Amino acid sequence: MPGAQKVSENLSAQIIHDEPFFRAVADEIEIFAAAYAGRLPVMLKGPTGCGKTRFVEHMAWRLKRPLVTVAAHEDLAAADLAGRFLLAPEGTVWHDGPLTAAVRMGAICYLDEIVEARQDTTVVIHPLTDARRSLPLDKKGELVEAHPDFQLTISYNPGYQSAVKDLKESTKQRFVAIEFSYPEPSIEAEIVMREAGVEAPIASGLVDVALRSRNLRGQGLAEGASTRMLIHAAKLLRGGAPLSAALRSAILLPITDEPDLREALGAAIAASLPNGLSLQ
């Protein structure tokens, strides 16, 4: 089938050839590998910027499987995942969505921040998360049996959950869960050094800034500075930006728009800066 050949070629291009750096902090690699061996779906739970996406990329490389990533958003419809009929010069033609393509060809499909999608959209994944391992394409009248190597992974941030945006229990209980958090300071500094190419004192100082910001969580700040933010700040420093400017641009300004919170966070960060530096 020409369509199947095209899907295969597209997925082949999504095989990760070079090892993505990931620093394990517990047994997350072993749990994911065991879940993949048992063809169990996996749910990654943790705050923004703590390494969930990098972990999936690392596991796709380790397992030698193509990776199809879908960033969920509030307008994501079931058809965006499964596929739809589209007009073409030869007439109306069915086009597989990213989920269907992964199901057919045995890729790892990663639905990032799944709670951002409409709740009726997430129901489409249910038949793939139990013994059926199939995807019904109602509009096409086809039942797609999952390739033996197919694996479904989702992620979400429990810190943002609310009555409006949360996974249904009927969805959560279908997955093996792996919990992520920010690593302990020495490991987080190691990650910042590796990702940004900075020296240990800089990385450790940035981690100290993050710890101070995380102490404000629950006091109006949804989350403190993420590991990703620290890497951004470190890269700005490596590029020649002054320390105060790097911290302001990579951490202080992105993390909140509330003037009072920004002032409190700025004061907390300033307490860890060398004398004479300010975030103003």
Side-chain angles (χ1 to χ4, degrees):
M1 293 176 60
Q5 181 180 358
K6 184 176 181 181
V7 168
S8 178
E9 292 172 353
N10 289 341
L11 290 185
S12 296
Q14 296 181 67
I15 292 177
I16 299 173
H17 297 285
D18 298 325
E19 179 181 0
F21 171 73
F22 176 77
R23 173 62 159 85
V25 298
D27 54 5
E28 59 268 36
I29 290 177
E30 291 78 10
I31 293 296
F32 192 100
Y36 180 79
R39 300 307 185 255
L40 300 173
V42 175
M43 172 173 59
L44 309 180
K45 303 171 61 175
T48 300
C50 68
K52 300 188 296 294
T53 298
R54 176 61 64 84
F55 171 69
V56 177
E57 293 171 348
H58 178 84
M59 293 309 301
W61 168 82
R62 182 179 286 266
L63 295 169
K64 298 179 173 57
R65 300 309 309 158
L67 176 63
V68 176
T69 299
V70 179
H73 53 83
E74 60 185 8
D75 294 324
L76 186 72
D80 295 320
L81 292 177
R84 52 168 56 91
F85 284 104
L86 297 174
L87 289 176
E90 62 272 25
T92 302
V93 179
W94 174 265
H95 286 260
D96 281 345
L99 176 61
T100 305
V103 169
R104 290 190 195 277
M105 306 311 299
I108 295 173
C109 186
Y110 175 48
L111 305 182
D112 187 18
E113 298 296 349
I114 187 65
V115 294
E116 297 297 330
R118 299 184 335 215
Q119 286 195 346
D120 60 330
T121 301
T122 60
V123 176
V124 74
I125 69 176
H126 282 189
L128 290 167
T129 57
D130 55 31
R132 290 172 288 180
R133 278 181 58 87
S134 61
L135 178 63
L137 302 177
D138 295 336
K139 292 182 179 179
K140 194 182 179 190
E142 179 184 359
L143 183 66
V144 183
E145 300 292 340
H147 188 286
D149 294 332
F150 169 75
Q151 206 267 352
L152 179 65
T153 299
I154 65 173
S155 71
Y156 88 109
N157 182 350
Y160 288 158
Q161 69 184 24
S162 66
V164 177
K165 286 191 174 183
D166 192 13
L167 284 179
K168 293 181 178 179
E169 290 301 321
S170 59
T171 300
K172 291 180 184 178
Q173 295 181 19
R174 294 171 176 269
F175 290 83
V176 171
I178 302 177
E179 187 171 29
F180 283 72
S181 186
Y182 301 123
E184 63 181 53
S186 61
I187 294 177
E188 191 165 25
E190 176 189 334
I191 293 170
V192 173
M193 289 172 59
R194 171 64 171 74
E195 290 289 290
V198 295
E199 299 298 323
I202 293 176
S204 297
L206 291 173
V207 171
D208 187 53
V209 166
L211 294 175
R212 290 174 182 270
S213 73
R214 291 166 194 169
N215 288 336
L216 294 176
R217 182 178 178 181
Q219 302 178 42
L221 199 64
E223 289 184 351
S226 68
T227 306
R228 181 191 294 129
M229 284 180 160
L230 301 187
I231 293 169
H232 289 173
K235 287 182 176 180
L236 289 178
L237 291 171
R238 189 180 179 193
L243 176 59
S244 58
L247 292 176
R248 181 174 174 81
S249 294
I251 298 176
L252 187 61
L253 294 179
I255 206 169
T256 179
D257 295 321
E258 294 294 330
D260 291 343
L261 280 176
R262 186 175 291 170
E263 182 178 352
L265 178 57
I269 292 177
S272 65
L273 294 179
N275 292 335
L277 284 182
S278 137
L279 295 176
Q280 301 303 317

